[in-house]
Amino acid sequence: DYAQTEPDAPEVYIDKTPVADAQAFIRSAQAIARKPRVGLCGVTSSGKSRLGNIILGLDRLPAGFDPTTSTICLIRHISDKPVWQTEDVWMMRRGFDVNLADDEDHCKALRLISGGYESLRQYGTFSGSGFNHDSHVAVIYIDSPLLMGCDLLDFPGYESPSGQTERSELGQQLIDVLIYTSPAHDFLNQADINYLGALLRHLPIYSALHGNIEPLRNLMVVATKADTIEKDRGAHLLDRGSMYVFHNLSHVFTGISRITNSQIRQEDLRRRFFTFTAVDVNMRTELTGVESDLVDLLSNTLPKCLLAQMNSHI
């Protein structure tokens, strides 16, 4: 309120101290206070979009057993749609800045095509009849309760065709919460380790702000397509996977430990591993762990962290 009503001031005070820019302060405060971005990442055909559809409670993201998503999808709540945007889906060209999704001039200048949800499948997937290599980001607005607490970013599969690796890497620094998917039948191979390591280097470390926050709280590693393995092997799969990640990315966890002043142990990482299937109805109860953990993170943990960042900034 003070910044918004600040009167005009000279460029510098009498002692030559520069005057704080009220509008710049407001913009930076808004950048801190934005909704957290939950990123869905993984190698090609790892089940990202299918998991995204389930946690959204809808079927808006193209999903299948072949590499499908060719663009980064920024999914926002319908109430966040700007008044000047009438369609639910806008396909953006290269150069679009996710941080400027509310900027009318920026969005209109880079709009490739706009339309309903069917345009996403037509123009944003490799199999779509209108697939265009210039399509870089799809901004999608839907009515889902999850999106009241976050924006969702669904990334193209790492190592997918037509240069999609570049698009996957582009969004690494945009994520506040990482959901990393890897199919249970080939859980966490070397390509996964390389990609996950790169993502972890850019993931915010919220436990550095609040010492009582669980280490790696904003990380979820999900073994998808769990129906392809024996039901009693799930826990063993996650045990082995977390051990493999912990040893292969020990340098990353050592760096995080230095920042937080708290040693990250393998059991800390293991608590961030889950299983999921969208096929076997009897195994769908496994999703409960993913959903409840994410809801608690978005409704309890992250608001406290954002408030601490805002207070520090002010």
Side-chain angles (χ1 to χ4, degrees), residues 15 65 73 88 99 124 137 169 179 189 192 213 221 280 285 307:
D15 65 356
F65 293 107
C73 294
D88 291 322
N99 295 311
V137 177
E169 293 172 343
I179 301 178
N189 57 32
D192 284 308
I213 292 179
V221 180
D280 190 331
T285 54
L307 181 59

Side-chain angles (χ1 to χ4, degrees), residues 44-187:
T44 303
S45 298
S46 61
K48 298 181 308 297
S49 298
R50 185 155 304 218
L51 175 60
N53 280 323
I54 295 294
I55 64 176
L56 289 172
L58 299 163
D59 188 19
R60 299 291 187 229
L61 303 177
F65 293 107
D66 297 318
T68 52
T69 310
S70 65
T71 62
I72 298 172
C73 294
L74 170 62
I75 306 110
R76 311 179 74 192
H77 193 267
I78 193 71
S79 63
D80 295 324
K81 185 167 69 170
V83 294
W84 43 264
Q85 183 172 337
T86 56
E87 300 88 357
D88 291 322
V89 176
W90 277 31
M91 308 296 294
M92 303 297 191
R93 292 184 175 88
R94 184 179 299 276
F96 174 74
D97 186 346
V98 169
N99 295 311
L100 297 178
D102 294 317
D103 187 304
E104 182 175 4
D105 292 337
H106 181 72
C107 290
K108 288 184 175 179
L110 293 173
R111 176 177 60 178
L112 181 65
I113 197 165
S114 56
Y117 300 122
E118 70 285 348
S119 62
L120 179 61
R121 186 174 298 278
Q122 184 177 359
Y123 295 96
T125 65
F126 294 112
S127 59
S129 60
F131 171 63
N132 190 318
H133 286 281
D134 291 333
S135 177
H136 199 54
V137 177
V139 184
I140 309 160
Y141 292 91
I142 62 177
D143 186 7
S144 167
L146 180 76
L147 298 177
M148 295 296 287
C150 70
D151 291 336
L152 190 66
L153 280 164
D154 182 20
F155 290 91
Y158 191 69
E159 292 190 337
S160 52
S162 304
Q164 295 312 303
T165 297
E166 177 190 351
R167 298 184 187 182
S168 296
E169 293 172 343
L170 173 69
Q172 288 179 9
Q173 299 186 36
L174 301 174
I175 301 173
D176 302 302
V177 178
L178 170 61
I179 301 178
Y180 191 88
T181 59
S182 179
H185 63 271
D186 187 24
F187 191 49

Side-chain angles (χ1 to χ4, degrees), residues 87-306:
E87 300 88 357
D88 291 322
V89 176
W90 277 31
M91 308 296 294
M92 303 297 191
R93 292 184 175 88
R94 184 179 299 276
F96 174 74
D97 186 346
V98 169
N99 295 311
L100 297 178
D102 294 317
D103 187 304
E104 182 175 4
D105 292 337
H106 181 72
C107 290
K108 288 184 175 179
L110 293 173
R111 176 177 60 178
L112 181 65
I113 197 165
S114 56
Y117 300 122
E118 70 285 348
S119 62
L120 179 61
R121 186 174 298 278
Q122 184 177 359
Y123 295 96
T125 65
F126 294 112
S127 59
S129 60
F131 171 63
N132 190 318
H133 286 281
D134 291 333
S135 177
H136 199 54
V137 177
V139 184
I140 309 160
Y141 292 91
I142 62 177
D143 186 7
S144 167
L146 180 76
L147 298 177
M148 295 296 287
C150 70
D151 291 336
L152 190 66
L153 280 164
D154 182 20
F155 290 91
Y158 191 69
E159 292 190 337
S160 52
S162 304
Q164 295 312 303
T165 297
E166 177 190 351
R167 298 184 187 182
S168 296
E169 293 172 343
L170 173 69
Q172 288 179 9
Q173 299 186 36
L174 301 174
I175 301 173
D176 302 302
V177 178
L178 170 61
I179 301 178
Y180 191 88
T181 59
S182 179
H185 63 271
D186 187 24
F187 191 49
L188 296 174
N189 57 32
Q190 191 57 51
D192 284 308
I193 295 297
N194 295 339
Y195 190 21
L196 182 57
L199 292 167
L200 285 173
R201 291 185 186 94
H202 297 284
L203 197 64
I205 305 172
Y206 291 109
S207 54
L209 295 173
H210 284 274
N212 60 343
I213 292 179
E214 177 186 350
L216 306 174
R217 183 66 182 84
N218 53 334
L219 168 68
M220 303 174 72
V221 180
V222 183
T224 56
K225 307 179 183 179
D227 54 285
T228 61
I229 62 171
E230 297 177 10
K231 294 182 180 180
D232 58 354
R233 286 192 58 222
H236 174 70
L237 181 74
L238 301 185
D239 290 341
R240 188 182 62 184
S242 61
M243 180 176 65
Y244 184 59
V245 171
F246 188 77
H247 288 292
N248 279 272
L249 299 179
S250 59
H251 58 290
V252 176
F253 299 121
T254 299
I256 296 174
S257 296
R258 289 198 190 102
I259 294 172
T260 60
N261 248 354
S262 175
Q263 187 66 35
I264 292 180
R265 303 162 302 174
Q266 184 178 324
E267 49 264 40
D268 297 323
L269 180 63
R270 173 62 179 84
R271 286 195 292 271
R272 311 310 309 146
F273 276 57
F274 306 84
T275 56
F276 165 76
T277 177
V279 178
D280 190 331
V281 176
N282 295 324
M283 294 181 68
R284 281 286 298 281
T285 54
E286 296 284 355
L287 177 62
T288 305
V290 178
E291 283 187 309
S292 60
D293 190 88
L294 183 59
V295 167
D296 179 69
L297 175 66
L298 296 175
S299 59
N300 295 315
T301 305
L302 286 190
K304 295 175 184 176
C305 295
L306 295 178

